[in-house]
Amino acid sequence: MKPHIWLLKLMLVSIVVLGIPVGGVMAFNYYIDPLWNFDHSHEYNDFQRGHNERIQKTNWINSHHFDFDSLMIGTSRTTYINASNFEERVFHYGLSSLHITEYLDYMQYAQSKNPKEFETIYMELTVRSHDLFYGPEFSEAETFFSQSEDPFYPVTSLFSKDTYDRAKFNYDISKNNYAGIPRTYDRNLEVTTSYVGKDIGERIEFFKNQLVEREANGPEWIYDPNYRGYLEEIQAAFPHSNFVVFTDLMPAERLQLTIEHPQIQPTYKQYITDIVEVFGAVYSFHQYNDVTRNHANFFDLYHFYPSVGDLVAKELQRREPSELLYIVTKDNIDEYFAQLGI
C-alpha cells in the first residue's frame, strides 16, 4: 500500500479517536452551559455559579429574547434582590464589584438590546461608590461585549477545559440541589444561597480594627472629584427613564462605624447630597432597625440573604417611607442626617 494511503488512514483513525472525547466534552459543556451562551434549562443545570457575571449576564442577553420594562444595575449586593419580586419585567444586571465608571457602559448595552426605553432604572450606589481609590477590578466592558457578540464564541468556548471544569461543578451542585457557596443562579438569573457565612460579630471587630489602622496611615476615603459628573452623565443618557437610586443595606454596626467616622462623615454627606441633587431623591436603606440589627440576615458585612432582598424589592416598588426605607430629598436631607446622628 502506498505511503500516502497509510497516512490518510492514520489521520482518519486519529480524528475518530480524538474526536470522540473532544465531542463528549463539547456536548457536556453545551448541556450544562456554565457561560450562559444558550437558553436551555433542565434539572442538571439549574444551579449555576456566577464566576464572572460581566460575561455571563452579557451572554444571557445575547442568547435570549430580550424584552424588559425596567433595569436593575448595581454591585453583587443587588444580586440578592431577585427580579421576580417586581410587578414589571426587570432585567437584573447586578455585577460583582461594579465600579461607578462601569455603570453607564453596561446600562447602555442593555438598552441597546431592548426594543423600548427602560421605564424605570433601579440603580444601587454603595456607601463606597464615591471613593477615589476604590478602583475597577475588571477589564473594560467593551472586552466582554465584543467577546459575547463574536459569532464563533458560543462554539469555541465549548472546547475549553475551564468551561468543562465550571460545567462539572454546576452539574454536581445541580444534581445535589445544594451548593454551599455564596451565590448560585438558576437559568432565569434568580439567586439562591445555602451559604452559612461568617460570624458577623467577629467581622465587625475586624472592620473596626481596619478603620483604626487606616486612620493612622492617612484619610480613610477620598471623595472622587468626578463622582457627581459620572452621575450626571448617567442621568443624561436616560432622559426618559425614572431613576430609583438606592443605597446598600448593611449591618447596623458597620453602618454606624462608617458614617460616624470623623474622616468618612464629610464624604458620606457629600455622596448623599450629590445623588439627591442629580436624581431628586435617594432611597436609603442606611437605617438602624430590626432588619439591620439582626446578624442572621447577613452572611458577611456587605451581603444580605435573598429573604432580605425580597423586603428591599418590596420597598423599591412601594416607594414610601418605612422603618426600612428613608426617601431622602432636598426638603428633608438635614433631617435624614440628624436621625442618623451625624
Side-chain angles (χ1 to χ4, degrees):
M1 188 175 289
K2 295 181 179 180
H4 71 275
I5 300 298
W6 281 104
L7 179 60
L8 180 59
K9 286 187 174 182
L10 178 62
M11 290 174 63
L12 290 173
V13 170
S14 298
I15 290 172
V16 171
V17 171
L18 294 176
I20 291 175
V22 170
V25 169
M26 291 180 65
F28 180 72
N29 288 345
Y30 168 80
Y31 184 61
I32 304 302
D33 187 29
L35 295 173
W36 309 350
N37 279 315
F38 308 98
D39 63 355
H40 57 275
S41 60
H42 48 77
E43 63 179 318
Y44 295 115
N45 76 344
D46 57 354
F47 279 68
Q48 299 267 322
R49 177 165 56 185
H51 63 274
N52 183 346
E53 292 138 328
R54 283 163 175 76
I55 187 62
Q56 288 174 292
K57 289 191 175 182
T58 301
N59 290 343
W60 194 98
I61 291 174
N62 290 316
S63 63
H64 289 73
H65 174 65
F66 195 76
D67 187 357
F68 289 85
D69 302 314
S70 299
L71 175 71
M72 178 172 286
I73 188 83
T75 67
S76 61
R77 299 158 178 82
T78 69
T79 60
Y80 297 93
I81 308 169
N82 282 317
S84 60
N85 286 295
F86 293 85
E87 294 177 1
E88 76 264 41
R89 281 176 49 79
V90 177
F91 178 69
H92 202 320
Y93 224 169
L95 305 171
S96 295
S97 302
L98 187 68
H99 189 262
I100 186 61
T101 58
E102 298 179 286
Y103 274 67
L104 185 56
D105 288 334
Y106 288 98
M107 294 167 71
Q108 290 182 316
Y109 188 79
Q111 182 62 84
S112 72
K113 300 295 182 176
N114 209 46
K116 57 182 179 293
E117 290 183 297
F118 291 120
E119 295 174 11
T120 303
I121 296 177
Y122 299 96
M123 186 169 74
E124 176 224 36
L125 293 173
T126 73
V127 72
R128 202 166 185 178
S129 60
H130 55 75
D131 184 4
L132 180 62
F133 298 120
Y134 195 65
E137 299 179 11
F138 289 82
S139 302
E140 292 185 3
E142 184 57 41
T143 301
F144 301 112
F145 302 155
S146 298
Q147 181 180 0
S148 182
E149 293 185 354
D150 182 343
F152 299 105
Y153 169 67
V155 175
T156 58
S157 65
L158 298 177
F159 286 92
S160 168
K161 182 181 182 300
D162 182 67
T163 303
Y164 173 78
D165 291 339
R166 298 188 189 285
K168 180 63 168 59
F169 181 86
N170 289 347
Y171 169 81
D172 290 338
I173 62 177
S174 295
K175 182 179 179 180
N176 296 322
N177 289 316
Y178 178 80
I181 59 177
R183 181 165 59 255
T184 54
Y185 290 91
D186 69 11
R187 300 294 285 180
N188 293 314
L189 305 186
E190 295 283 288
V191 164
T192 59
T193 183
S194 50
Y195 188 58
V196 176
K198 303 171 182 178
D199 182 273
I200 300 301
E202 290 182 4
R203 300 307 297 172
I204 290 294
E205 288 302 312
F206 179 75
F207 182 72
K208 187 186 301 183
N209 292 333
Q210 278 188 318
L211 290 179
V212 172
E213 291 174 8
R214 291 171 182 171
E215 185 177 0
N217 296 322
E220 172 60 16
W221 293 345
I222 302 296
Y223 200 83
D224 187 341
N226 297 314
Y227 186 72
R228 180 168 178 146
Y230 297 139
L231 303 185
E232 291 173 338
E233 189 177 9
I234 290 170
Q235 199 277 336
F238 296 87
H240 304 119
S241 298
N242 175 39
F243 277 87
V244 177
V245 183
F246 62 100
T247 67
D248 48 335
L249 186 148
M250 68 183 77
E253 295 98 325
R254 180 186 168 229
L255 174 64
Q256 185 171 9
L257 286 169
T258 299
I259 65 176
E260 292 185 0
H261 191 287
Q263 291 182 0
I264 300 173
Q265 192 174 116
T267 66
Y268 178 82
K269 287 187 171 183
Q270 188 63 52
Y271 146 76
I272 294 294
T273 299
D274 279 345
I275 296 174
V276 168
E277 291 184 353
V278 173
F279 296 102
V282 56
Y283 294 77
S284 179
F285 293 99
H286 292 164
Q287 294 294 295
Y288 305 118
N289 49 53
D290 291 341
V291 173
T292 60
R293 292 191 185 98
N294 186 352
H295 289 181
N297 288 326
F298 305 89
F299 61 79
D300 61 25
L301 296 189
Y302 308 94
H303 301 93
F304 44 77
Y305 284 102
S307 58
V308 176
D310 295 345
L311 299 177
V312 171
K314 179 180 178 181
E315 297 293 336
L316 291 176
Q317 283 247 286
R318 201 165 61 94
R319 298 176 211 168
E320 295 179 4
S322 69
E323 183 182 3
L324 197 62
L325 177 67
Y326 200 113
I327 303 176
V328 189
T329 65
K330 292 180 181 179
D331 294 332
N332 67 4
I333 192 168
D334 291 334
E335 290 86 347
Y336 169 74
F337 293 138
Q339 59 91 35
L340 285 176
I342 59 176

